[in-house]
Amino acid sequence: MSKNLGFFKNKLIKYTYYLEIILALFIIAAIIVSAVDLAKYIYIIFKTNPIDTYLVFQKFLGHILLLVVGVELVIMLMSHSTSSVLEVVLYAIARKMLIYSDTTLDIALGVVAIAIVFAIRKYLFTKEIKIEGNGHVFSAAISVYDANTITGLNIPENLGNTIGGVITKMAEDTHRPVYEGIDYRVGNAKLKVLSIKDGLIEKVLIDNIDE
C-alpha cells in the first residue's frame, strides 16, 4: 500500500512539474507579446509634449518592471529554489516602490521591505547550509548559481537549475541509480546524496575535488 502511494505521489509530482512548464511557457509567450508594446511606448514618448512625458515614461518603466517580474516568475517555476522566490518578491517590491510610491512614507516602507528580503536571504536562507568537513551540505532545491556562489565551485548550470536537477541529469547520463551515499563528480565538484525522502533528493554534500 505504501509503495503504491509513493508511486502515485511521484507521478503526481512529475505531472505537476509538467503543468508548471506549460504555465511558464504561457508566461513567456505573454512576455514576448507584451515586449512589442515597449516600441509603442518609445513612439508615444517621442510624440508626447515634454511637459507630459513624465507620466508616459512612468508607465513605460512600470511595463518593463512587470515584464522583469514575469521573467523571474518563470525562473521560480522552473528552479523551485528559495533564491528565485526572493527574487520575484524583490522585483515586485521595487516596481511598487519606483512606480507607485507618491509619498516619502511609501518610499520608506519600500526600502524597509527590500531590507527585509535581503535579511531573509542572508540570515534565514543560509540556515539550509551546514558545513561538514571540507564540504557544504545543501538542500537539493538550492539553485546551481547559489551553490557555486557560496562554495566557489564551477558546477555547470546547463545540467539543471537546481543541485537536485544536476544529480538527476548525471544519474540519467551515467546510468547510475540515485540512492543515499552515492556521489557524482562534475566540474571541480563532488555531489554526494545524503538523504532521500519519497523518491526525492533532500540533502546533498558538495565538496571540492581539487582540494
Side-chain angles (χ1 to χ4, degrees):
M1 180 66 180
S2 59
K3 184 180 294 187
N4 292 334
L5 182 59
F7 175 79
F8 176 76
K9 288 174 64 177
N10 289 335
K11 285 293 183 181
L12 185 60
I13 292 173
K14 180 179 179 181
Y15 293 139
T16 302
Y17 180 70
Y18 290 151
L19 180 59
E20 288 181 335
I21 292 177
I22 294 173
L23 293 175
L25 290 175
F26 275 113
I27 295 174
I28 292 173
I31 291 172
I32 294 173
V33 173
S34 298
V36 177
D37 292 332
L38 296 178
K40 297 178 181 178
Y41 269 113
I42 295 294
Y43 177 76
I44 294 173
I45 292 174
F46 179 75
K47 298 291 290 185
T48 302
N49 187 299
I51 299 177
D52 302 321
T53 301
Y54 174 79
L55 293 177
V56 179
F57 186 70
Q58 186 181 43
K59 293 182 181 297
F60 173 72
L61 289 180
H63 192 83
I64 289 179
L65 289 175
L66 185 60
L67 295 182
V68 172
V69 172
V71 172
E72 292 298 328
L73 186 59
V74 171
I75 296 174
M76 184 189 74
L77 288 173
M78 293 295 94
S79 65
H80 291 176
S81 67
T82 306
S83 176
S84 61
V85 175
L86 293 179
E87 292 290 338
V88 173
V89 174
L90 184 62
Y91 282 112
I93 294 173
R95 179 177 184 272
K96 172 68 176 178
M97 183 178 68
L98 295 175
I99 307 302
Y100 299 106
S101 295
D102 297 324
T103 65
T104 303
L105 179 60
D106 291 336
I107 296 176
L109 291 175
V111 172
V112 171
I114 291 177
I116 291 174
V117 171
F118 279 110
I120 290 173
R121 184 181 179 87
K122 181 176 181 179
Y123 296 106
L124 298 183
F125 172 59
T126 52
K127 287 185 177 180
E128 296 182 6
I129 306 168
K130 297 179 181 178
I131 308 298
E132 184 173 296
N134 294 325
H136 295 75
V137 177
F138 294 91
S139 163
I142 189 173
S143 68
V144 176
Y145 175 82
D146 285 335
N148 283 336
T149 300
I150 294 169
T151 62
L153 298 176
N154 297 304
I155 303 170
E157 296 185 42
N158 63 324
L159 295 178
N161 293 315
T162 65
I163 292 300
V166 171
I167 291 177
T168 301
K169 176 64 175 175
M170 292 288 295
E172 294 174 353
D173 293 344
T174 59
H175 304 289
R176 299 171 63 202
V178 179
Y179 55 85
E180 292 183 358
I182 191 172
D183 62 71
Y184 300 88
R185 303 197 174 198
V186 54
N188 61 343
K190 180 177 74 173
L191 312 179
K192 182 177 181 179
V193 178
L194 297 183
S195 64
I196 298 176
K197 184 177 181 181
D198 295 331
L200 298 176
I201 305 171
E202 277 195 320
K203 298 294 180 182
V204 178
L205 172 66
I206 302 180
D207 204 354
N208 189 344
I209 60 177
D210 292 336
E211 294 182 349

